[in-house]
Amino acid sequence: MSQPDNYRLNRSGASRVGLSVALALLSLGASGQVITASKNLTLSAMLSAQCRVASASSGAITLTFPAYTAFGGAVTAPSQSINFECTRGLGSTPTFTWDAGGGTTAGEGILAGLRYSLTATNGTRTSGVAPVLGTPGDVGTPDTYPVNVGGSMPAGQAGEGASGTYTATRTLTVSF
Amino acid sequence: MKTSQLAAAAAAALALALAGFSGAASAQATASVSADVSVTFTAKCQIASGSSATVAIDFGTYTAFGANVTAPTKTATYECSRGMGAAPTFTWDANPDGATVQGTVKGLRYQLTASTALATGGAGAAPDLVAKTNGTPDTYDIKIDGTLYGGAGDPTGSATASNTLVVTY
């Protein structure tokens, strides 16, 4: 049974359509490699570097001088250490000032009429660690500055007032 | 969607950059900590360093049956913690109750009397922290007067006696 002419024509047309589709896919394949685009972002932030008393060192330092009898020998309070933690890489060497007492911020003071001197000295800094990006939640660690605080009373002082225990509170400011 | 996110990021970057610019001259970092300082103090008096612990009361030469003799007043200096306040009291080894003691030397009766007063200019000074001085004590003069009463005495010769004065503040 012979096909009608129009059917043959249709078959021929279908073949042409199929060919055109194949060409289109071929064309798409050539241009369908991974498409990328880049844009540089400039990120900036203002960091206000800070130092603070490390949590393990929180609270006041207690400097207790040995008992002092008038006109006696010099006494030295056992040294106390306190840690400050700072933004990494501040770099500078800490300096110290005490609250003003008797007109000086050099750590001088009077207790029970006895002159004493407080000192603060730097220990060895422990460098902090930068954040490790592969470790979720890691934010790095601060630089740690240990500061040793001590006190002394010169010998031979008369003192003032009745016998007893005397206390005073001083403030040490550390500048980094 | 991507377009809007990029726009937001750019805006944030701009804001941070501006903030960074305004704070470029950052202040020095400081931190403060309190220090509690304490001492147990015992006030005290002592013989001043420039004063001898032994005072010599010299009645000189006495001839039997002569008049009473008064020895030159001797002074010892005590130094004390400032502001102790209490007036000192005296006791002698042979008279624990008062400032006067009697005894005999070469058979002659004598009497010693102690009195005290804050020395002239004896109020001490507090420490000077700027000058780094330790202050000075209050100083007291202890005056000791002696009287030798006339009498027959023992045979000729020299003799000494010793008494101890205790000063209590």
Side-chain angles (χ1 to χ4, degrees):
Chain A
M1 189 165 79
S2 61
Q3 299 293 331
D5 288 345
N6 62 343
Y7 177 75
R8 279 187 259 118
L9 286 174
N10 286 344
R11 286 286 299 235
S12 175
S15 297
R16 285 195 296 273
V17 169
L19 178 60
S20 66
V21 169
L23 290 173
L25 288 174
L26 182 62
S27 169
L28 181 60
S31 64
Q33 298 166 356
V34 178
I35 301 173
T36 63
S38 298
K39 181 173 178 60
N40 291 330
L41 297 178
T42 300
L43 300 179
S44 63
M46 181 188 73
L47 169 64
S48 178
Q50 295 287 338
C51 290
R52 65 181 184 182
V53 178
S55 56
S57 298
S58 61
I61 301 171
T62 300
L63 283 173
T64 304
F65 287 100
Y68 192 102
T69 299
F71 310 110
V75 296
T76 301
S79 178
Q80 302 291 316
S81 183
I82 187 169
N83 285 326
F84 290 86
E85 53 188 21
C86 298
T87 303
R88 293 184 298 279
L90 276 176
S92 61
T93 301
T95 58
F96 309 101
T97 56
W98 292 91
D99 59 303
T104 173
T105 58
E108 298 282 335
I110 300 174
L111 198 58
L114 304 168
R115 183 170 75 87
Y116 64 87
S117 297
L118 300 178
T119 59
T121 56
N122 291 310
T124 302
R125 183 187 70 181
T126 300
S127 297
V129 178
V132 177
L133 298 183
T135 303
D138 186 86
V139 294
T141 58
D143 287 347
T144 302
Y145 293 80
V147 174
N148 298 313
V149 179
S152 61
M153 284 184 173
Q157 299 189 73
E160 185 167 349
S163 300
T165 300
Y166 295 77
T167 62
T169 298
R170 306 295 303 271
T171 300
L172 171 66
T173 299
V174 186
S175 300
F176 297 86
Chain B
M1 190 63 178
K2 277 189 174 181
T3 302
S4 64
Q5 286 178 336
L6 285 173
L14 177 60
L16 289 170
L18 289 173
F21 179 76
S22 65
S26 60
Q28 192 176 33
T30 62
S32 296
V33 63
S34 294
D36 291 335
V37 183
S38 67
V39 67
T40 298
F41 170 65
T42 301
K44 181 184 173 183
C45 292
Q46 65 180 17
I47 296 174
S49 56
S51 184
S52 173
T54 300
V55 175
I57 306 296
D58 186 1
F59 292 109
T61 299
Y62 179 80
T63 300
F65 307 111
N68 295 348
V69 175
T70 300
T73 300
K74 295 290 185 176
T75 301
T77 302
Y78 276 70
E79 56 188 15
C80 299
S81 299
R82 294 182 301 280
M84 288 184 68
T89 58
F90 304 100
T91 56
W92 291 93
D93 51 350
N95 181 13
D97 297 326
T100 299
V101 66
Q102 293 191 359
T104 59
V105 59
K106 206 60 178 171
L108 300 170
R109 187 169 64 90
Y110 68 87
Q111 177 175 286
L112 302 178
T113 301
S115 61
T116 187
L118 188 67
T120 302
D128 185 330
L129 300 184
V130 176
K132 298 185 184 299
T133 59
N134 297 337
T136 57
D138 290 344
T139 55
Y140 296 85
D141 286 336
I142 307 294
K143 297 183 182 302
I144 300 175
D145 296 302
T147 301
L148 183 71
Y149 296 99
D154 291 333
T156 300
S158 295
T160 59
S162 181
N163 291 98
T164 301
L165 174 67
V166 178
V167 185
T168 303
Y169 290 84

